[in-house]
Each structure stands twice: as structure tokens, then as C-alpha cells.
Amino acid sequence: MLAIKKAVSTLRDEEVKSYLTQILAGIGELKEQYGQLERPLEEHMAEPVAELIEQYSSLMSLPAQRAFWDPAPDSTHVHILCGDSFGGSMKQVLKEFGWTDTHKLIILRENYAIGPLDQLDTPVGRKLRSDWFRQHIHEYFTVSDECEREYTELLDNLEQISEQAQIVIWTGSNASEQAGQRLAVHLLGNRQNEIIVLDAGAICEKLFNQPHAFINYCHSGEIPSDKLREALLRIDGGSRLTATDIARLSQGWLTISGQSGVLRIWREDALLEVPADYYDSYLLEKLDSLEPPPGNDGFLKSARLVGEAIGYCEQYIGDAYFEHRVRELIYSGVLEIKGVPTAMRFYSIRRKKG
């Protein structure tokens, strides 16, 4: 039981959903078969039980899988990056190159574009951030000390970086990765390792964009593995940080972590704090431009509105924050609701009439 608790405690939000969905699907299949038996139960259970056992084995191996990517004494490179999606793509490419023994990863799993960052280097600040997510973001259902555990793990991994390893910080043209870059540089302190910074999105745009076919990446998690492969081959062309650069980025972290806001954007090469309702008018404009389905009395699924907002937004904010603001517009009386706001797919909205 202790081993199970340890494995579960390492899961991220999206992993919890994935495991739970697959396990419940397996149990549902067992239930359906049990109600239609013509032969002994044991003959019907083999495949579903095997799948459940496979899920169990996969879950229990997660701690070892994650530990494999932690910095080690013989690491030649340590990559610091934001987001599990980008981290998954990076792992795949490193495996393809056969670099897994010497290239290790430190993944910053939080979205630093949203939520308070004030005093994040203190337990009080981390609790404030964790509390804000639990109060405002429906998808955030992790344990109360999740932020504290993530931060402790980050510090431990940074401490494990050997002196000879080159540190590669990946960033992008968005507030989350830019803030993550500043946090990483700040926490690295006065280490003597060579630190280089790479923008995978900018590299791929330069390599692959054509006048008639181009993609502008809002965040690195959007980059497919085949294109990321080309970016990874250009490590030596990364921007090497000088002592002045390190001091500037560290001070940049102190600046944003001294602010009390909960929303940040990246504009004109600057990380800016903006009001919490910054995107409310944008959401309402999108709502007015969408055609509700016939026979639904003008109500539109909130998931469609949020999807539209994400699709046309030049910033990487994340669907959770947009959905949070939709609910705030409901609470303030600007929007009407039909359904239960437990998740986007369960309720619809429209402009309040009268």
C-alpha cells in the first residue's frame, strides 16, 4: 500500500485522468460481461484483468521512470524545460538519438502564466499559489501540498546537476516559459556550469516556415517530435548566458515574483502582469461571434467558447484560465448558465437577457 501511495503521489493531473479512465473502462467491461455470462466468470475475465494488471504495472513503474531522467554524476547535458507535453516530446527525441544516458531532464510542470507567484520561494507563498488553484481552477484536484512537493523536487534536481554538465534551458514566446526560464536561472544561483538558452519554437519556425505554409508556435508543447529533433541538433548554436545575462534574468524573476497578480502575458519581449479580467471582453466578443445550436434557446456549450478563445489567442494561457473567467462572468451576472459548472462539457452559457 505504501508503494501504491508513493506511485500515485507522483502523478500529474492529466495522468490521473488517463489512469482512472482506463481503469474504470476495464471495470465497466467486467461488469457488462458478468451480467451476460453463459460460461464460468473466469473464462471471461482473462483479457480485462490482464489490462488492469498492465495499468497497475505501468503506474507502479512511474517513480523509476521519472528517476531515470533525473540529473546524474555522469550527465553531460541537463535540459530544463516547461510542461509535461514538451517533456514527453523531448524524451522521445533523446531516446531516438540514443542520448538517454548522458542527457537528463528537469521539467517545470506548472503554468507560470497564471496563478500567484508572490513569495514562491517561501512555504507561505507556495501555499497561497496552491490554494488559489484549488479555489479557481476546476482541473486542479491534486493534494494540498502539491506545490510544495513540486518545488522541493525542483530544488533537489537542480542540486544534483554535476559541475561538468552543460545546462540547456528551453524557452518560448509565452509567459509561462519565460517565467520558468527566469525561475530556473534564479535558482541555479552562482553555479559555474555553462548555461545556454534555446527557443525551440523560434528554431522550428526559422527552419520550416514557408511564405505559403507556416506555423507560429504559442508554446513548445505544440512542436512535433520530428521538428524538435532538428532543434535539439542545434544545441551548440544556443545563446550562452553571461554573468550579466544571469543577473538580469534572476532579477526578472524577483520582479514578477514580487507582484500580486494572477495573470501574465509575453509582449514585445517583455513579461507583463495584467489584470485578472484582461481577457473577459475577448471572451464575450468570441461568444457574440459564435452561432448557438438551433433549439437550444441561444445557449452555447462553454467548451466551444473556450476552444474558440484558445484557437485565436496569440498568447498561451491555457483552457483552465479561460474557463475560470467564464465562470466569473456567470457569477457577476454577465452570463447565464444552463447546467452544472463542474466541467466545461456539463454546462452552456449565453449573454444574460434583460
Side-chain angles (χ1 to χ4, degrees):
M1 182 57 70
L2 289 175
I4 292 174
K5 288 182 177 180
K6 180 179 179 181
V8 171
S9 71
T10 67
L11 290 174
R12 314 300 167 195
D13 289 357
E14 64 274 13
E15 293 171 329
V16 171
K17 295 177 186 176
S18 175
Y19 275 105
L20 184 60
T21 298
Q22 294 177 63
I23 289 170
L24 290 177
I27 294 173
E29 184 177 345
L30 283 174
K31 182 179 179 181
E32 289 181 9
Q33 290 183 359
Y34 183 78
Q36 304 172 6
L37 285 182
E38 295 179 358
R39 301 193 305 276
L41 176 62
E42 290 78 4
E43 295 182 23
H44 292 263
M45 289 179 62
E47 185 176 345
V49 169
E51 291 176 356
L52 289 174
I53 291 174
E54 182 179 352
Q55 290 298 320
Y56 173 87
S57 299
S58 175
L59 171 59
M60 296 305 290
S61 68
L62 274 179
Q65 293 175 21
R66 291 208 166 103
F68 173 80
W69 291 103
D70 290 345
D74 55 351
S75 304
T76 61
H77 297 75
V78 175
H79 301 266
I80 302 177
L81 49 88
C82 289
D84 283 308
S85 177
F86 187 31
S89 298
M90 183 66 73
K91 290 177 182 178
Q92 179 179 333
V93 175
L94 291 175
K95 288 177 182 176
E96 292 176 2
F97 286 163
W99 291 356
T100 55
D101 288 338
T102 54
H103 288 243
K104 301 300 179 180
L105 299 180
I106 296 177
I107 301 176
L108 307 179
R109 294 185 164 90
E110 295 196 55
N111 180 359
Y112 296 110
I114 66 174
L117 296 177
D118 188 25
Q119 304 181 68
L120 195 65
D121 58 344
T122 69
V124 171
R126 293 189 287 275
K127 185 178 186 304
L128 287 173
R129 179 170 173 82
S130 187
D131 288 347
W132 183 88
F133 272 87
R134 281 199 307 278
Q135 293 166 10
H136 297 284
I137 305 298
H138 274 166
E139 300 299 323
Y140 193 85
F141 52 85
T142 49
V143 295
S144 59
D145 63 347
E146 175 71 6
C147 187
E148 186 67 33
R149 187 178 64 78
E150 289 279 0
Y151 196 82
T152 300
E153 180 180 307
L154 172 59
L155 293 179
D156 289 344
N157 283 332
L158 291 174
E159 186 63 30
Q160 293 177 42
I161 299 176
S162 58
E163 294 181 357
Q164 82 279 359
Q166 183 183 63
I167 299 173
V168 184
I169 300 178
W170 295 86
T171 191
S173 297
N174 60 79
S176 181
E177 290 183 275
Q178 289 291 331
Q181 173 193 8
R182 285 156 175 77
L183 171 60
V185 170
H186 177 70
L187 293 178
L188 286 167
N190 297 319
R191 297 183 67 101
Q192 298 304 306
N193 303 70
E194 181 183 48
I195 303 175
I196 67 172
V197 173
L198 288 169
D199 184 331
I203 293 172
C204 291
E205 289 170 11
K206 182 176 181 181
L207 287 174
F208 300 107
N209 279 358
Q210 301 294 329
H212 61 282
F214 61 91
I215 299 176
N216 293 324
Y217 295 103
C218 286
H219 63 98
S220 300
E222 297 177 333
I223 303 171
S225 297
D226 59 333
K227 293 183 178 180
L228 180 59
R229 186 183 301 115
E230 297 302 318
L232 198 58
L233 289 173
R234 286 160 174 78
I235 290 178
D236 291 339
S239 175
R240 285 163 173 76
L241 297 185
T242 65
T244 301
D245 294 329
I246 292 171
R248 173 179 54 80
L249 290 168
S250 179
Q251 181 57 50
W253 172 256
L254 293 175
T255 298
I256 60 172
S257 64
Q259 298 169 343
S260 59
V262 297
L263 180 62
R264 286 149 221 101
I265 63 172
W266 179 248
R267 176 174 294 166
E268 297 180 354
D269 296 329
L271 188 57
L272 305 176
E273 181 183 271
V274 294
D277 62 357
Y278 183 80
Y279 283 107
D280 286 9
S281 59
Y282 169 74
L283 284 167
L284 293 172
E285 288 173 6
K286 289 300 176 189
L287 177 62
D288 293 339
S289 70
L290 295 172
E291 186 71 25
N296 206 29
D297 200 20
F299 281 96
L300 182 81
K301 282 288 187 182
S302 63
R304 185 182 173 195
L305 171 59
V306 171
E308 186 82 1
I310 293 173
Y312 288 93
C313 186
E314 296 180 353
Q315 300 283 333
Y316 169 63
I317 303 299
D319 59 349
Y321 190 82
F322 280 128
E323 202 262 334
H324 155 60
R325 292 310 308 175
V326 170
R327 283 185 281 108
E328 290 297 318
L329 289 169
I330 295 170
Y331 301 151
S332 63
V334 176
L335 299 179
E336 291 182 304
I337 181 173
K338 182 173 72 173
V340 182
T342 53
M344 284 186 285
R345 63 186 180 277
F346 293 139
Y347 69 97
S348 301
I349 42 88
R350 71 180 182 189
R351 286 267 197 173
K352 189 171 184 178
K353 296 182 177 180

